């Protein structure tokens, strides 16, 4: 798939073979078998061109990576803790890329920033001021409220896996 993604266009077995042979010895039939397997699995589509096929990736490498991350995350028994552990593995540059990606997905802020309550009637601006002892709603997943506290990996402890 790396070679197919690299060109970002339909490629023949011969093109992939010639590219791979710059690094190692490999047989034409091996490359043909791998591309045929990728086609059967739905990773590439192919179009006949004479006696050969041209193979093209069905999705981008980024979409494939995103699908892998989503699959791993959704299979976790504690998705919040898994995310915290994952973020803890990231370099500062990767975390900045993550922030940029979140901003792109969220778009411009839809809700205005909270206003300071007025001195005359603080309850109209902030209902919590009227009853400061109001109960906090129950949290279904305590790891979401404090994921670092729930993730031993984030503090250098063992994960048990």
């Amino acid at each position: 798939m790396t070679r197919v993604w690299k060109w970002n266009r339909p490629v023949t077995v011969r093109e992939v073979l010639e590219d791979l042979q710059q690094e190692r010895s490999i047989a034409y039939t091996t490359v043909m078998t791998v591309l045929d397997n990728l086609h059967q699995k739905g990773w590439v589509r192919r179009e006949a061109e004479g006696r050969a096929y041209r193979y093209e990736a069905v999705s981008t490498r980024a979409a494939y990576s995103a699908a892998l991350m989503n699959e791993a995350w959704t299979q976790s028994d504690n998705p919040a803790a898994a995310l915290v552990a994952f973020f803890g593995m990231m370099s500062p540059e990767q975390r900045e890329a993550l922030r940029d990606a979140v901003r792109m997905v969220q778009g411009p802020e839809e809700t205005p920033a909270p206003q300071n309550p007025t001195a005359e009637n603080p309850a109209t601006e902030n209902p919590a001021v009227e009853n400061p002892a109001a109960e906090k709603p129950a949290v279904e997943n305590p790891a979401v409220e404090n994921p670092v506290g729930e993730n031993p990996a984030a503090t250098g402890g063992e994960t048990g896996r």
Side-chain angles (χ1 to χ4, degrees), residues 115-130:
Q115 301 287 325
N116 286 335
T118 61
E120 296 93 35
N121 192 358
T124 58
E125 292 290 329
N126 188 353
V129 172
E130 187 175 306

Side-chain angles (χ1 to χ4, degrees), residues 126-145:
N126 188 353
V129 172
E130 187 175 306
N131 185 4
E135 271 187 40
K136 287 175 62 177
V139 176
E140 285 184 38
N141 185 351
V144 173
E145 185 175 330

Side-chain angles (χ1 to χ4, degrees), residues 18-70:
E18 290 171 0
D19 191 40
L20 288 170
Q21 283 181 334
Q22 293 176 14
E23 298 171 15
R24 62 189 168 115
S25 178
I26 189 167
Y28 180 93
T29 54
T30 301
V31 177
M32 183 176 65
T33 300
V34 169
L35 285 169
D36 185 58
N37 288 342
L38 291 170
H39 172 70
Q40 289 178 20
K41 291 179 180 184
W43 289 54
V44 295
R45 66 177 67 82
R46 68 183 181 195
E47 235 178 84
E49 185 176 280
R51 293 179 52 210
Y53 286 109
R54 283 207 173 264
Y55 294 87
E56 183 177 18
V58 170
S59 69
T60 65
R61 186 177 206 145
Y64 169 71
S65 296
L68 283 178
M69 289 187 286
N70 186 56

Side-chain angles (χ1 to χ4, degrees), residues 82-126:
L83 282 173
V84 170
F86 179 63
F87 296 157
M89 294 177 201
M90 297 173 114
S91 69
E93 295 81 17
Q94 290 171 320
R95 284 192 296 273
E96 186 58 36
L98 176 64
R99 284 185 204 95
D100 292 343
V102 168
R103 281 191 287 270
M104 283 190 277
V105 170
Q106 287 180 338
E109 291 295 322
E110 294 177 13
T111 57
Q115 301 287 325
N116 286 335
T118 61
E120 296 93 35
N121 192 358
T124 58
E125 292 290 329
N126 188 353

